[in-house]
Amino acid sequence: MRIKRVAALAAVAALSIGMAACGDNGDGGGAGEAKSFAAGSTMEKLNKAQKIRVGTKFDQPGFGQKGLSGKPEGFDVEIAKIIAKDLGIPESKIEWVEAPSKVREDVIEQDKVDMVVATYTINDKRKERIAFAGPYYEAGQNIMVRKDDSSITGPDSFADGTKKVCSVTGSTPAEEIKKHVKDVASQVVLFDTYDKCRDALKGKQVDAVTTDNVILLGYIAKDEASFKMAGDNFTKEPYGIGVKKDDTAFRNFINDTLEKSFSDGSWKKAWDDTAGKFGATLGAAPTVNRY
Ligand code: GLU
């Protein structure tokens, strides 16, 4: 009994030393904080470990893009930091894992990440494998073309079978555009990341890139001399945070955190500091869907 108590005290002491060591070390990480969560919950596990693995994009300006700092930057990255902070984990303890569109369900199922924040549209097909907190933003599919091209004005411009359009494997826009082309095999070009589509458009191997408006706006902002948008959004893409399918407690926790961020100004600040600089609008805070 006595030994047990001593061991318990030692564990508490070790935890507080660990927390102190997490103090702000000048990289904006902030301090870790021991918080009490339901025993056995993902929140308790992550808080105790003082570490969280976040799947995000590394090539999407405004949402998740790895720059010279070596760490990704963008709206998704800021949303992940807000959630980590609510878990008592400083941003310096977030491990960023690149999660291109087609691997997002895989990395959640295989426990390679604790959550995915990666321009990730909530839909029923994905919900068969994973669960979504959110939405925290609503984007819409659009088309980007070369600046000097006025022949493409919307998805119907692919109906005559002459134009090639690029998107990313495993994305909702890749599936949607197939409904608008005459011949999928010759017209739809798929890569694993959007920066490859952007390069193919610039290099004239394809005539357009299609994905969410906000991703395209990021590319246009970085190279306005080369690219422009062609038309209006033609789908709705509500962005959610992917977690394990049966982890309802963690999903509820993230939904609570998102709702707090909508009202305390941190969600809007995250947007204004990132994607908000590229001409997209934030709109009113969405209603989270606690299914
Ligand atoms: N939001 C869409 C999706 O989840 C397109 C963006 C992306 O591929 O990340 O598939």
Side-chain angles (χ1 to χ4, degrees), residues 49-65:
Q50 281 297 296
K51 193 186 120 178
I52 183 167
R53 302 159 303 163
V54 179
T56 195
K57 300 296 186 76
F58 282 1
D59 69 326
Q60 291 179 193
F63 278 80
Q65 187 181 44

Side-chain angles (χ1 to χ4, degrees), residues 57 60 100-101 104 118-123 126 139 168-173 194 211-212 215 237-239:
K57 300 296 186 76
Q60 291 179 193
S101 302
R104 290 174 292 194
T119 59
Y120 202 3
T121 297
I122 300 170
N123 66 30
R126 291 173 177 164
V168 161
T169 314
S171 71
T172 49
Y194 291 109
T211 186
D212 301 340
I215 299 173
E237 308 291 330
Y239 287 174

Side-chain angles (χ1 to χ4, degrees), residues 178-196:
K178 289 176 185 168
K179 300 178 197 160
H180 297 273
V181 299
K182 189 171 178 190
D183 178 44
V184 172
S186 65
Q187 286 182 270
V188 178
V189 176
L190 297 180
F191 289 121
D192 58 345
T193 58
Y194 291 109
D195 56 357
K196 291 182 187 160

Side-chain angles (χ1 to χ4, degrees), residues 18-19 47 59 66-68 104 181 184 203 226 232 237 262 275:
M19 295 298 168
N47 179 260
D59 69 326
K66 223 171 181 175
L68 292 177
R104 290 174 292 194
V181 299
V184 172
S226 304
D232 298 324
E237 308 291 330
F262 296 161

Side-chain angles (χ1 to χ4, degrees), residues 17-279:
I17 292 165
M19 295 298 168
C22 292
D24 198 335
N25 51 9
D27 67 355
E33 189 190 337
K35 288 190 160 191
S36 89
F37 292 110
S41 64
T42 300
M43 294 80 81
E44 183 197 56
K45 188 193 90 186
L46 295 171
N47 179 260
K48 278 201 173 141
Q50 281 297 296
K51 193 186 120 178
I52 183 167
R53 302 159 303 163
V54 179
T56 195
K57 300 296 186 76
F58 282 1
D59 69 326
Q60 291 179 193
F63 278 80
Q65 187 181 44
K66 223 171 181 175
L68 292 177
S69 71
K71 299 230 161 119
E73 291 165 9
F75 187 52
D76 283 339
V77 169
E78 293 307 311
I79 293 290
K81 287 178 191 169
I82 288 170
I83 297 163
K85 190 170 175 210
D86 218 13
L87 286 162
I89 302 170
E91 68 179 71
S92 58
K93 300 287 170 181
I94 301 175
E95 185 188 316
W96 302 103
V97 178
E98 186 172 18
S101 302
K102 76 165 185 295
V103 307
R104 290 174 292 194
E105 288 89 88
D106 298 339
V107 292
I108 294 167
E109 284 181 330
Q110 295 163 7
D111 198 32
K112 291 190 173 145
V113 298
D114 299 299
M115 63 182 184
V116 165
V117 194
T119 59
Y120 202 3
T121 297
I122 300 170
N123 66 30
D124 289 342
K125 189 166 170 239
R126 291 173 177 164
K127 278 194 204 159
E128 287 169 14
R129 295 176 61 188
I130 58 119
F132 284 106
Y136 60 93
Y137 185 72
E138 187 175 276
Q141 185 171 351
N142 210 312
I143 294 164
M144 178 171 87
V145 295
R146 284 183 295 275
K147 188 102 186 218
D148 58 2
D149 184 353
S150 50
S151 67
I152 297 171
T153 52
D156 296 338
S157 301
F158 301 105
D160 68 3
T162 61
K163 308 265 182 209
K164 278 192 187 352
V165 54
C166 189
S167 196
V168 161
T169 314
S171 71
T172 49
E175 289 314 304
E176 175 65 25
I177 203 64
K178 289 176 185 168
K179 300 178 197 160
H180 297 273
V181 299
K182 189 171 178 190
D183 178 44
V184 172
S186 65
Q187 286 182 270
V188 178
V189 176
L190 297 180
F191 289 121
D192 58 345
T193 58
Y194 291 109
D195 56 357
K196 291 182 187 160
C197 282
R198 176 208 51 204
D199 294 347
L201 177 62
K202 200 163 178 176
K204 301 194 176 176
Q205 285 110 352
V206 298
D207 304 294
V209 177
T210 188
T211 186
D212 301 340
N213 62 331
V214 285
I215 299 173
L216 299 175
L217 283 169
Y219 287 130
I220 293 168
K222 297 266 165 192
D223 193 352
E224 283 192 26
S226 304
F227 305 124
K228 66 176 183 189
M229 210 74 118
D232 298 324
N233 292 358
F234 52 97
T235 67
K236 287 192 190 323
E237 308 291 330
Y239 287 174
I241 291 152
V243 297
K244 287 214 174 62
K245 191 178 174 188
D246 55 3
D247 200 345
T248 309
F250 191 33
R251 177 151 59 89
N252 287 340
F253 170 83
I254 296 174
N255 279 330
D256 292 344
T257 305
L258 288 176
E259 280 177 349
K260 274 187 273 170
S261 78
F262 296 161
S263 53
D264 71 8
S266 54
W267 174 72
K268 183 165 184 317
K269 181 175 184 330
W271 176 264
D272 291 344
D273 289 347
T274 59
K277 295 184 174 153
F278 296 159

